[in-house]
Amino acid sequence: MNHLKEKPLLKIGPISVLQDARYSAAVGFDIITYCLARGDMRKVSAATAWNLVQWLSGPVSALELNAESWEEIAEATALFPVKWIEFPWEDRRTAWGTDANALAVAATLPDAESLAAWFGENERHYLQLTVQHDTPVEAFSNWLNRVFFRFDSPETATHWLSANKPLPLGIAFSTEWEESPGEMDYPALDDVLELLESRVMG
């Protein structure tokens, strides 16, 4: 897959298996996430994330965190470069001691006023929004260059791309893209990546 300047950034994760990490790097993902959030079933240690990173060339690293796991940032960043920190929207005002970009994750569309205020605080703030077929993206069209769309299923991604709807800064792929827990659905990802490439190339 060609890495096109015009296409959105591609993010995938959380990754915990080397095969998935190497596949993601090979097909052109720009960002790979590793979960360090305490209490999450997909949490890995900073050392495990570091071991996965060592096998890869190309993608940058992101850490998934929550309000209980901020101290893990120092442990991870001491081992490998981390360009993105992502955390729940409700934790967006929590301080972090890193130069990484801040990516808040929202399950539903935040109200425009809160979103505008949050974006205005710091240029390194970004939003990851779960997008369904009928998500009204017009409400934040002025911020698409600061937003990642996380599609809730391969079918939703195919619908969105085929309908020629607006593209954001980035597109995120997560656990919905698994055939079963821990087994990534490579054919489904390949199909959507091919569709995205064909759309970008016009």
Side-chain angles (χ1 to χ4, degrees):
M1 174 177 177
N2 295 327
H3 186 85
L4 302 173
K5 182 179 179 180
E6 297 85 359
K7 78 173 178 64
L9 293 172
L10 298 177
K11 185 175 80 68
I12 193 166
I15 294 294
S16 59
V17 178
L18 178 58
Q19 179 178 335
D20 292 345
R22 297 184 72 172
Y23 161 84
S24 301
V27 299
F29 276 89
D30 303 286
I31 305 168
I32 295 180
T33 70
Y34 309 95
C35 181
L36 271 65
R38 293 184 184 179
D40 194 294
M41 292 181 61
R42 294 178 176 274
K43 183 184 187 305
V44 297
S45 67
T48 296
W50 177 83
N51 285 330
L52 294 171
V53 169
Q54 301 315 298
W55 285 92
L56 307 180
S57 176
V60 299
S61 300
L63 300 181
E64 294 187 17
L65 301 165
N66 55 20
E68 291 75 39
S69 58
W70 294 108
E71 64 187 51
E72 263 116 333
I73 294 176
E75 183 181 357
T77 54
L79 295 172
F80 57 90
V82 176
K83 187 169 183 179
W84 294 85
I85 299 293
E86 65 176 82
F87 46 85
W89 170 255
E90 55 268 24
D91 293 338
R92 63 193 179 278
R93 297 189 183 280
T94 304
W96 57 92
T98 175
D99 292 328
N101 294 319
L103 179 65
V105 178
T108 58
L109 180 66
D111 67 89
E113 184 177 347
S114 294
L115 184 58
W118 187 68
F119 275 157
E121 291 175 0
N122 189 301
E123 64 180 11
R124 290 192 293 109
H125 284 172
Y126 298 82
L127 176 72
Q128 179 175 296
L129 175 68
T130 298
V131 174
Q132 299 175 343
H133 286 70
D134 57 350
T135 299
V137 298
E138 297 80 7
F140 59 105
S141 58
N142 291 336
W143 303 302
L144 284 179
N145 64 338
R146 307 277 289 281
V147 173
F148 283 71
F149 286 170
R150 175 184 174 274
F151 294 112
D152 61 352
S153 70
E155 292 75 22
T156 303
T158 299
H159 169 84
W160 196 273
L161 295 171
S162 299
N164 210 37
K165 293 188 177 184
L167 292 176
L169 169 68
I171 294 177
F173 301 84
S174 189
T175 54
E176 292 82 359
W177 297 77
E178 293 181 338
E179 294 179 295
S180 59
E183 297 184 11
M184 189 179 293
D185 190 342
Y186 298 138
L189 279 165
D190 288 340
D191 289 345
V192 171
L193 294 177
E194 183 176 350
L195 178 58
L196 174 62
E197 182 175 351
S198 66
R199 173 173 169 180
V200 171
M201 293 182 66

mmCIF file of all heavy atoms in Angstrom, residues 112-151:
data_model
loop_
_atom_site.group_PDB
_atom_site.id
_atom_site.type_symbol
_atom_site.label_atom_id
_atom_site.label_comp_id
_atom_site.label_asym_id
_atom_site.label_seq_id
_atom_site.Cartn_x
_atom_site.Cartn_y
_atom_site.Cartn_z
ATOM 1 N N ALA A 112 -20.184 20.913 20.957
ATOM 2 C CA ALA A 112 -19.263 21.776 20.218
ATOM 3 C C ALA A 112 -18.563 22.787 21.105
ATOM 4 O O ALA A 112 -17.382 23.084 20.927
ATOM 5 C CB ALA A 112 -20.017 22.481 19.092
ATOM 6 N N GLU A 113 -19.276 23.322 22.103
ATOM 7 C CA GLU A 113 -18.688 24.334 22.986
ATOM 8 C C GLU A 113 -17.529 23.759 23.793
ATOM 9 O O GLU A 113 -16.453 24.361 23.892
ATOM 10 C CB GLU A 113 -19.748 24.895 23.920
ATOM 11 C CG GLU A 113 -19.242 26.025 24.803
ATOM 12 C CD GLU A 113 -20.338 26.622 25.663
ATOM 13 O OE1 GLU A 113 -21.528 26.333 25.389
ATOM 14 O OE2 GLU A 113 -20.001 27.374 26.596
ATOM 15 N N SER A 114 -17.721 22.570 24.368
ATOM 16 C CA SER A 114 -16.652 21.932 25.139
ATOM 17 C C SER A 114 -15.479 21.582 24.247
ATOM 18 O O SER A 114 -14.313 21.741 24.627
ATOM 19 C CB SER A 114 -17.170 20.669 25.816
ATOM 20 O OG SER A 114 -18.140 20.978 26.786
ATOM 21 N N LEU A 115 -15.782 21.109 23.048
ATOM 22 C CA LEU A 115 -14.728 20.732 22.121
ATOM 23 C C LEU A 115 -13.902 21.943 21.709
ATOM 24 O O LEU A 115 -12.666 21.889 21.683
ATOM 25 C CB LEU A 115 -15.344 20.067 20.891
ATOM 26 C CG LEU A 115 -14.382 19.504 19.840
ATOM 27 C CD1 LEU A 115 -13.455 18.475 20.461
ATOM 28 C CD2 LEU A 115 -15.164 18.881 18.693
ATOM 29 N N ALA A 116 -14.561 23.046 21.406
ATOM 30 C CA ALA A 116 -13.855 24.254 20.994
ATOM 31 C C ALA A 116 -12.963 24.779 22.117
ATOM 32 O O ALA A 116 -11.813 25.170 21.879
ATOM 33 C CB ALA A 116 -14.860 25.326 20.573
ATOM 34 N N ALA A 117 -13.466 24.767 23.349
ATOM 35 C CA ALA A 117 -12.681 25.244 24.487
ATOM 36 C C ALA A 117 -11.460 24.362 24.711
ATOM 37 O O ALA A 117 -10.361 24.856 24.974
ATOM 38 C CB ALA A 117 -13.552 25.278 25.744
ATOM 39 N N TRP A 118 -11.677 23.056 24.590
ATOM 40 C CA TRP A 118 -10.576 22.112 24.813
ATOM 41 C C TRP A 118 -9.492 22.271 23.757
ATOM 42 O O TRP A 118 -8.305 22.327 24.069
ATOM 43 C CB TRP A 118 -11.136 20.697 24.816
ATOM 44 C CG TRP A 118 -10.146 19.643 25.186
ATOM 45 C CD1 TRP A 118 -9.566 19.447 26.406
ATOM 46 C CD2 TRP A 118 -9.619 18.637 24.332
ATOM 47 N NE1 TRP A 118 -8.715 18.363 26.365
ATOM 48 C CE2 TRP A 118 -8.731 17.849 25.097
ATOM 49 C CE3 TRP A 118 -9.817 18.315 22.992
ATOM 50 C CZ2 TRP A 118 -8.043 16.778 24.572
ATOM 51 C CZ3 TRP A 118 -9.133 17.235 22.472
ATOM 52 C CH2 TRP A 118 -8.254 16.480 23.248
ATOM 53 N N PHE A 119 -9.883 22.379 22.493
ATOM 54 C CA PHE A 119 -8.917 22.560 21.428
ATOM 55 C C PHE A 119 -8.150 23.875 21.587
ATOM 56 O O PHE A 119 -6.986 23.972 21.211
ATOM 57 C CB PHE A 119 -9.609 22.544 20.061
ATOM 58 C CG PHE A 119 -9.804 21.168 19.497
ATOM 59 C CD1 PHE A 119 -10.797 20.942 18.552
ATOM 60 C CD2 PHE A 119 -9.015 20.115 19.879
ATOM 61 C CE1 PHE A 119 -10.994 19.677 18.017
ATOM 62 C CE2 PHE A 119 -9.204 18.842 19.361
ATOM 63 C CZ PHE A 119 -10.190 18.626 18.425
ATOM 64 N N GLY A 120 -8.829 24.880 22.147
ATOM 65 C CA GLY A 120 -8.190 26.169 22.277
ATOM 66 C C GLY A 120 -7.115 26.223 23.338
ATOM 67 O O GLY A 120 -6.300 27.144 23.359
ATOM 68 N N GLU A 121 -7.065 25.226 24.211
ATOM 69 C CA GLU A 121 -6.111 25.241 25.316
ATOM 70 C C GLU A 121 -4.688 24.910 24.867
ATOM 71 O O GLU A 121 -3.728 25.422 25.436
ATOM 72 C CB GLU A 121 -6.539 24.247 26.396
ATOM 73 C CG GLU A 121 -7.807 24.647 27.135
ATOM 74 C CD GLU A 121 -8.252 23.566 28.098
ATOM 75 O OE1 GLU A 121 -7.583 22.522 28.181
ATOM 76 O OE2 GLU A 121 -9.288 23.759 28.759
ATOM 77 N N ASN A 122 -4.564 24.035 23.887
ATOM 78 C CA ASN A 122 -3.229 23.572 23.514
ATOM 79 C C ASN A 122 -3.273 22.973 22.118
ATOM 80 O O ASN A 122 -4.141 22.157 21.815
ATOM 81 C CB ASN A 122 -2.750 22.518 24.529
ATOM 82 C CG ASN A 122 -1.287 22.160 24.339
ATOM 83 O OD1 ASN A 122 -0.877 21.705 23.284
ATOM 84 N ND2 ASN A 122 -0.497 22.383 25.371
ATOM 85 N N GLU A 123 -2.323 23.358 21.293
ATOM 86 C CA GLU A 123 -2.344 22.891 19.898
ATOM 87 C C GLU A 123 -2.037 21.412 19.767
ATOM 88 O O GLU A 123 -2.254 20.826 18.715
ATOM 89 C CB GLU A 123 -1.352 23.702 19.065
ATOM 90 C CG GLU A 123 0.097 23.526 19.475
ATOM 91 C CD GLU A 123 1.057 24.340 18.632
ATOM 92 O OE1 GLU A 123 0.574 25.199 17.861
ATOM 93 O OE2 GLU A 123 2.279 24.125 18.745
ATOM 94 N N ARG A 124 -1.550 20.768 20.820
ATOM 95 C CA ARG A 124 -1.266 19.330 20.753
ATOM 96 C C ARG A 124 -2.465 18.481 21.163
ATOM 97 O O ARG A 124 -2.358 17.281 21.337
ATOM 98 C CB ARG A 124 -0.070 18.973 21.634
ATOM 99 C CG ARG A 124 1.244 19.496 21.110
ATOM 100 C CD ARG A 124 2.438 18.894 21.842
ATOM 101 N NE ARG A 124 2.477 19.322 23.229
ATOM 102 C CZ ARG A 124 2.220 18.530 24.259
ATOM 103 N NH1 ARG A 124 1.892 17.272 24.056
ATOM 104 N NH2 ARG A 124 2.287 18.977 25.491
ATOM 105 N N HIS A 125 -3.624 19.101 21.332
ATOM 106 C CA HIS A 125 -4.830 18.356 21.680
ATOM 107 C C HIS A 125 -5.526 17.837 20.426
ATOM 108 O O HIS A 125 -5.739 18.562 19.462
ATOM 109 C CB HIS A 125 -5.810 19.250 22.442
ATOM 110 C CG HIS A 125 -5.411 19.490 23.862
ATOM 111 N ND1 HIS A 125 -6.070 20.387 24.661
ATOM 112 C CD2 HIS A 125 -4.442 18.949 24.632
ATOM 113 C CE1 HIS A 125 -5.519 20.396 25.878
ATOM 114 N NE2 HIS A 125 -4.531 19.529 25.868
ATOM 115 N N TYR A 126 -5.899 16.575 20.477
ATOM 116 C CA TYR A 126 -6.636 15.941 19.389
ATOM 117 C C TYR A 126 -7.774 15.133 19.997
ATOM 118 O O TYR A 126 -7.774 14.824 21.183
ATOM 119 C CB TYR A 126 -5.718 15.023 18.564
ATOM 120 C CG TYR A 126 -4.576 15.749 17.895
ATOM 121 C CD1 TYR A 126 -3.416 16.049 18.599
ATOM 122 C CD2 TYR A 126 -4.656 16.141 16.568
ATOM 123 C CE1 TYR A 126 -2.358 16.718 18.001
ATOM 124 C CE2 TYR A 126 -3.606 16.815 15.956
ATOM 125 C CZ TYR A 126 -2.463 17.100 16.682
ATOM 126 O OH TYR A 126 -1.426 17.769 16.083
ATOM 127 N N LEU A 127 -8.731 14.762 19.152
ATOM 128 C CA LEU A 127 -9.881 13.988 19.612
ATOM 129 C C LEU A 127 -10.018 12.728 18.769
ATOM 130 O O LEU A 127 -9.872 12.777 17.541
ATOM 131 C CB LEU A 127 -11.161 14.816 19.487
ATOM 132 C CG LEU A 127 -12.466 14.088 19.842
ATOM 133 C CD1 LEU A 127 -12.564 13.876 21.355
ATOM 134 C CD2 LEU A 127 -13.674 14.868 19.344
ATOM 135 N N GLN A 128 -10.287 11.604 19.417
ATOM 136 C CA GLN A 128 -10.635 10.376 18.702
ATOM 137 C C GLN A 128 -12.099 10.071 18.980
ATOM 138 O O GLN A 128 -12.491 9.871 20.125
ATOM 139 C CB GLN A 128 -9.768 9.206 19.154
ATOM 140 C CG GLN A 128 -10.121 7.897 18.447
ATOM 141 C CD GLN A 128 -9.173 6.781 18.819
ATOM 142 O OE1 GLN A 128 -7.992 6.840 18.528
ATOM 143 N NE2 GLN A 128 -9.686 5.767 19.498
ATOM 144 N N LEU A 129 -12.909 10.064 17.938
ATOM 145 C CA LEU A 129 -14.348 9.924 18.071
ATOM 146 C C LEU A 129 -14.828 8.638 17.402
ATOM 147 O O LEU A 129 -14.444 8.350 16.268
ATOM 148 C CB LEU A 129 -15.040 11.123 17.417
ATOM 149 C CG LEU A 129 -16.563 11.105 17.353
ATOM 150 C CD1 LEU A 129 -17.147 11.239 18.759
ATOM 151 C CD2 LEU A 129 -17.075 12.222 16.456
ATOM 152 N N THR A 130 -15.637 7.863 18.125
ATOM 153 C CA THR A 130 -16.249 6.683 17.521
ATOM 154 C C THR A 130 -17.349 7.128 16.557
ATOM 155 O O THR A 130 -18.283 7.825 16.941
ATOM 156 C CB THR A 130 -16.840 5.757 18.593
ATOM 157 O OG1 THR A 130 -15.786 5.293 19.438
ATOM 158 C CG2 THR A 130 -17.525 4.561 17.946
ATOM 159 N N VAL A 131 -17.222 6.728 15.299
ATOM 160 C CA VAL A 131 -18.135 7.166 14.252
ATOM 161 C C VAL A 131 -19.033 6.016 13.826
ATOM 162 O O VAL A 131 -18.557 4.920 13.523
ATOM 163 C CB VAL A 131 -17.350 7.695 13.034
ATOM 164 C CG1 VAL A 131 -18.274 8.007 11.877
ATOM 165 C CG2 VAL A 131 -16.567 8.947 13.428
ATOM 166 N N GLN A 132 -20.329 6.280 13.806
ATOM 167 C CA GLN A 132 -21.305 5.340 13.285
ATOM 168 C C GLN A 132 -21.885 5.903 11.995
ATOM 169 O O GLN A 132 -21.523 7.007 11.571
ATOM 170 C CB GLN A 132 -22.384 5.090 14.339
ATOM 171 C CG GLN A 132 -21.813 4.494 15.630
ATOM 172 C CD GLN A 132 -22.841 4.353 16.719
ATOM 173 O OE1 GLN A 132 -23.903 4.957 16.680
ATOM 174 N NE2 GLN A 132 -22.522 3.541 17.725
ATOM 175 N N HIS A 133 -22.766 5.145 11.373
ATOM 176 C CA HIS A 133 -23.274 5.560 10.067
ATOM 177 C C HIS A 133 -23.869 6.968 10.078
ATOM 178 O O HIS A 133 -23.726 7.718 9.110
ATOM 179 C CB HIS A 133 -24.351 4.576 9.582
ATOM 180 C CG HIS A 133 -23.805 3.263 9.129
ATOM 181 N ND1 HIS A 133 -23.276 2.346 9.999
ATOM 182 C CD2 HIS A 133 -23.699 2.723 7.895
ATOM 183 C CE1 HIS A 133 -22.874 1.276 9.326
ATOM 184 N NE2 HIS A 133 -23.116 1.478 8.040
ATOM 185 N N ASP A 134 -24.532 7.340 11.170
ATOM 186 C CA ASP A 134 -25.282 8.589 11.199
ATOM 187 C C ASP A 134 -24.640 9.663 12.079
ATOM 188 O O ASP A 134 -25.301 10.624 12.475
ATOM 189 C CB ASP A 134 -26.707 8.337 11.678
ATOM 190 C CG ASP A 134 -26.742 7.657 13.057
ATOM 191 O OD1 ASP A 134 -25.666 7.232 13.528
ATOM 192 O OD2 ASP A 134 -27.833 7.549 13.637
ATOM 193 N N THR A 135 -23.361 9.541 12.401
ATOM 194 C CA THR A 135 -22.706 10.546 13.234
ATOM 195 C C THR A 135 -22.689 11.899 12.516
ATOM 196 O O THR A 135 -22.209 11.984 11.377
ATOM 197 C CB THR A 135 -21.259 10.128 13.562
ATOM 198 O OG1 THR A 135 -21.285 8.896 14.280
ATOM 199 C CG2 THR A 135 -20.570 11.184 14.419
ATOM 200 N N PRO A 136 -23.197 12.969 13.157
ATOM 201 C CA PRO A 136 -23.280 14.277 12.500
ATOM 202 C C PRO A 136 -21.952 15.033 12.548
ATOM 203 O O PRO A 136 -21.743 15.919 13.386
ATOM 204 C CB PRO A 136 -24.357 14.994 13.318
ATOM 205 C CG PRO A 136 -24.207 14.425 14.686
ATOM 206 C CD PRO A 136 -23.795 12.978 14.492
ATOM 207 N N VAL A 137 -21.050 14.713 11.655
ATOM 208 C CA VAL A 137 -19.721 15.333 11.695
ATOM 209 C C VAL A 137 -19.754 16.818 11.372
ATOM 210 O O VAL A 137 -18.789 17.538 11.638
ATOM 211 C CB VAL A 137 -18.755 14.627 10.728
ATOM 212 C CG1 VAL A 137 -18.567 13.185 11.124
ATOM 213 C CG2 VAL A 137 -19.239 14.746 9.297
ATOM 214 N N GLU A 138 -20.865 17.315 10.827
ATOM 215 C CA GLU A 138 -20.951 18.733 10.500
ATOM 216 C C GLU A 138 -20.758 19.606 11.740
ATOM 217 O O GLU A 138 -20.301 20.752 11.643
ATOM 218 C CB GLU A 138 -22.307 19.051 9.866
ATOM 219 C CG GLU A 138 -22.583 18.357 8.546
ATOM 220 C CD GLU A 138 -23.043 16.907 8.729
ATOM 221 O OE1 GLU A 138 -23.270 16.512 9.893
ATOM 222 O OE2 GLU A 138 -23.158 16.185 7.720
ATOM 223 N N ALA A 139 -21.080 19.063 12.911
ATOM 224 C CA ALA A 139 -20.989 19.832 14.151
ATOM 225 C C ALA A 139 -19.559 20.250 14.472
ATOM 226 O O ALA A 139 -19.343 21.208 15.202
ATOM 227 C CB ALA A 139 -21.573 19.031 15.316
ATOM 228 N N PHE A 140 -18.586 19.538 13.945
ATOM 229 C CA PHE A 140 -17.209 19.917 14.228
ATOM 230 C C PHE A 140 -16.362 19.899 12.960
ATOM 231 O O PHE A 140 -15.171 19.571 12.964
ATOM 232 C CB PHE A 140 -16.598 19.002 15.299
ATOM 233 C CG PHE A 140 -16.586 17.539 14.955
ATOM 234 C CD1 PHE A 140 -15.410 16.912 14.579
ATOM 235 C CD2 PHE A 140 -17.751 16.791 15.030
ATOM 236 C CE1 PHE A 140 -15.401 15.563 14.272
ATOM 237 C CE2 PHE A 140 -17.736 15.443 14.726
ATOM 238 C CZ PHE A 140 -16.555 14.825 14.346
ATOM 239 N N SER A 141 -16.964 20.301 11.847
ATOM 240 C CA SER A 141 -16.260 20.291 10.563
ATOM 241 C C SER A 141 -15.022 21.185 10.575
ATOM 242 O O SER A 141 -14.053 20.923 9.857
ATOM 243 C CB SER A 141 -17.207 20.716 9.435
ATOM 244 O OG SER A 141 -17.732 22.016 9.687
ATOM 245 N N ASN A 142 -15.035 22.236 11.402
ATOM 246 C CA ASN A 142 -13.880 23.139 11.470
ATOM 247 C C ASN A 142 -12.677 22.502 12.146
ATOM 248 O O ASN A 142 -11.576 23.062 12.103
ATOM 249 C CB ASN A 142 -14.255 24.415 12.230
ATOM 250 C CG ASN A 142 -15.235 25.282 11.468
ATOM 251 O OD1 ASN A 142 -15.314 25.204 10.248
ATOM 252 N ND2 ASN A 142 -15.990 26.096 12.182
ATOM 253 N N TRP A 143 -12.884 21.343 12.804
ATOM 254 C CA TRP A 143 -11.807 20.705 13.562
ATOM 255 C C TRP A 143 -11.380 19.366 12.974
ATOM 256 O O TRP A 143 -10.689 18.594 13.644
ATOM 257 C CB TRP A 143 -12.241 20.503 15.021
ATOM 258 C CG TRP A 143 -12.633 21.773 15.686
ATOM 259 C CD1 TRP A 143 -11.868 22.895 15.838
ATOM 260 C CD2 TRP A 143 -13.892 22.060 16.299
ATOM 261 N NE1 TRP A 143 -12.579 23.865 16.520
ATOM 262 C CE2 TRP A 143 -13.819 23.390 16.804
ATOM 263 C CE3 TRP A 143 -15.063 21.338 16.478
ATOM 264 C CZ2 TRP A 143 -14.879 23.994 17.479
ATOM 265 C CZ3 TRP A 143 -16.127 21.940 17.149
ATOM 266 C CH2 TRP A 143 -16.030 23.252 17.633
ATOM 267 N N LEU A 144 -11.791 19.063 11.754
ATOM 268 C CA LEU A 144 -11.458 17.755 11.192
ATOM 269 C C LEU A 144 -9.949 17.526 11.109
ATOM 270 O O LEU A 144 -9.491 16.383 11.103
ATOM 271 C CB LEU A 144 -12.094 17.586 9.809
ATOM 272 C CG LEU A 144 -13.599 17.293 9.804
ATOM 273 C CD1 LEU A 144 -14.111 17.170 8.380
ATOM 274 C CD2 LEU A 144 -13.922 16.041 10.597
ATOM 275 N N ASN A 145 -9.166 18.597 11.060
ATOM 276 C CA ASN A 145 -7.716 18.443 11.024
ATOM 277 C C ASN A 145 -7.127 18.146 12.402
ATOM 278 O O ASN A 145 -5.915 18.019 12.551
ATOM 279 C CB ASN A 145 -7.057 19.690 10.448
ATOM 280 C CG ASN A 145 -7.284 20.918 11.313
ATOM 281 O OD1 ASN A 145 -8.227 20.978 12.099
ATOM 282 N ND2 ASN A 145 -6.432 21.914 11.165
ATOM 283 N N ARG A 146 -8.011 17.985 13.408
ATOM 284 C CA ARG A 146 -7.559 17.640 14.761
ATOM 285 C C ARG A 146 -8.286 16.405 15.288
ATOM 286 O O ARG A 146 -8.230 16.118 16.484
ATOM 287 C CB ARG A 146 -7.843 18.811 15.717
ATOM 288 C CG ARG A 146 -7.299 20.173 15.270
ATOM 289 C CD ARG A 146 -5.855 20.364 15.627
ATOM 290 N NE ARG A 146 -5.684 20.533 17.052
ATOM 291 C CZ ARG A 146 -5.928 21.683 17.695
ATOM 292 N NH1 ARG A 146 -6.396 22.732 17.054
ATOM 293 N NH2 ARG A 146 -5.698 21.772 18.988
ATOM 294 N N VAL A 147 -8.962 15.670 14.396
ATOM 295 C CA VAL A 147 -9.831 14.575 14.823
ATOM 296 C C VAL A 147 -9.452 13.266 14.136
ATOM 297 O O VAL A 147 -9.094 13.246 12.955
ATOM 298 C CB VAL A 147 -11.312 14.916 14.521
ATOM 299 C CG1 VAL A 147 -12.222 13.728 14.807
ATOM 300 C CG2 VAL A 147 -11.754 16.119 15.340
ATOM 301 N N PHE A 148 -9.513 12.168 14.912
ATOM 302 C CA PHE A 148 -9.426 10.814 14.385
ATOM 303 C C PHE A 148 -10.818 10.195 14.423
ATOM 304 O O PHE A 148 -11.517 10.325 15.429
ATOM 305 C CB PHE A 148 -8.488 9.941 15.236
ATOM 306 C CG PHE A 148 -7.030 10.178 15.006
ATOM 307 C CD1 PHE A 148 -6.415 11.345 15.438
ATOM 308 C CD2 PHE A 148 -6.248 9.231 14.361
ATOM 309 C CE1 PHE A 148 -5.062 11.570 15.238
ATOM 310 C CE2 PHE A 148 -4.894 9.443 14.159
ATOM 311 C CZ PHE A 148 -4.307 10.618 14.594
ATOM 312 N N PHE A 149 -11.228 9.535 13.355
ATOM 313 C CA PHE A 149 -12.461 8.756 13.351
ATOM 314 C C PHE A 149 -12.127 7.315 13.696
ATOM 315 O O PHE A 149 -11.241 6.710 13.088
ATOM 316 C CB PHE A 149 -13.129 8.781 11.978
ATOM 317 C CG PHE A 149 -13.812 10.065 11.620
ATOM 318 C CD1 PHE A 149 -14.274 10.275 10.336
ATOM 319 C CD2 PHE A 149 -13.997 11.069 12.559
ATOM 320 C CE1 PHE A 149 -14.907 11.458 9.985
ATOM 321 C CE2 PHE A 149 -14.623 12.256 12.226
ATOM 322 C CZ PHE A 149 -15.084 12.450 10.926
ATOM 323 N N ARG A 150 -12.838 6.765 14.671
ATOM 324 C CA ARG A 150 -12.707 5.354 15.017
ATOM 325 C C ARG A 150 -14.001 4.669 14.611
ATOM 326 O O ARG A 150 -15.048 4.894 15.205
ATOM 327 C CB ARG A 150 -12.455 5.199 16.519
ATOM 328 C CG ARG A 150 -12.422 3.758 17.012
ATOM 329 C CD ARG A 150 -12.265 3.761 18.532
ATOM 330 N NE ARG A 150 -12.367 2.441 19.093
ATOM 331 C CZ ARG A 150 -13.516 1.853 19.429
ATOM 332 N NH1 ARG A 150 -14.659 2.489 19.224
ATOM 333 N NH2 ARG A 150 -13.537 0.653 19.942
ATOM 334 N N PHE A 151 -13.950 3.866 13.565
ATOM 335 C CA PHE A 151 -15.151 3.209 13.069
ATOM 336 C C PHE A 151 -15.489 2.005 13.933
ATOM 337 O O PHE A 151 -14.607 1.239 14.330
ATOM 338 C CB PHE A 151 -14.962 2.795 11.614
ATOM 339 C CG PHE A 151 -14.818 3.968 10.683
ATOM 340 C CD1 PHE A 151 -13.614 4.231 10.039
ATOM 341 C CD2 PHE A 151 -15.887 4.813 10.460
ATOM 342 C CE1 PHE A 151 -13.485 5.318 9.189
ATOM 343 C CE2 PHE A 151 -15.770 5.904 9.605
ATOM 344 C CZ PHE A 151 -14.566 6.158 8.961
#
